[in-house]
Amino acid sequence: MEIGISIALILASLLMILLVLLHKGKGGGLSDMFGGGFSSNFGGSSVVERNLDRLTVITGTVWFVCIIALGLLMRP
């Protein structure tokens, strides 16, 4: 059980890093480096940003639940 939750935590952490880097920042940042053409075409599209926000929140929730579950399982 602990191994499964640990694997889920690692995957959620990596996905969270990727999603945060894809967000459009004030100065562009890495999101423009990886998807500059995409963000310039759809920069005004609130649907793309809203879906990215939702996916980031869901991933963050999964990450948080994994942390709590591991903490409860590893208690003495």
Side-chain angles (χ1 to χ4, degrees):
M1 186 77 165
E2 290 179 18
I3 294 174
I5 295 174
S6 296
I7 291 172
L9 178 63
I10 291 169
L11 292 176
S13 298
L14 293 174
L15 184 60
M16 181 67 88
I17 291 169
L18 177 70
L19 290 172
V20 167
L21 288 176
L22 285 176
H23 275 279
K24 185 175 182 181
K26 291 181 181 178
L30 289 176
S31 61
D32 283 340
M33 184 177 11
F34 291 123
F38 180 77
S39 64
S40 66
N41 290 337
F42 296 104
S45 175
S46 62
V47 175
V48 174
E49 284 293 323
R50 198 173 327 138
N51 287 336
L52 185 60
D53 289 341
R54 287 179 185 159
L55 190 57
T56 305
V57 169
I58 291 169
T59 305
T61 304
V62 169
W63 182 83
F64 182 74
V65 169
C66 287
I67 292 287
I68 297 297
L70 275 176
L72 292 174
L73 285 174
M74 292 184 164
R75 279 189 351 194

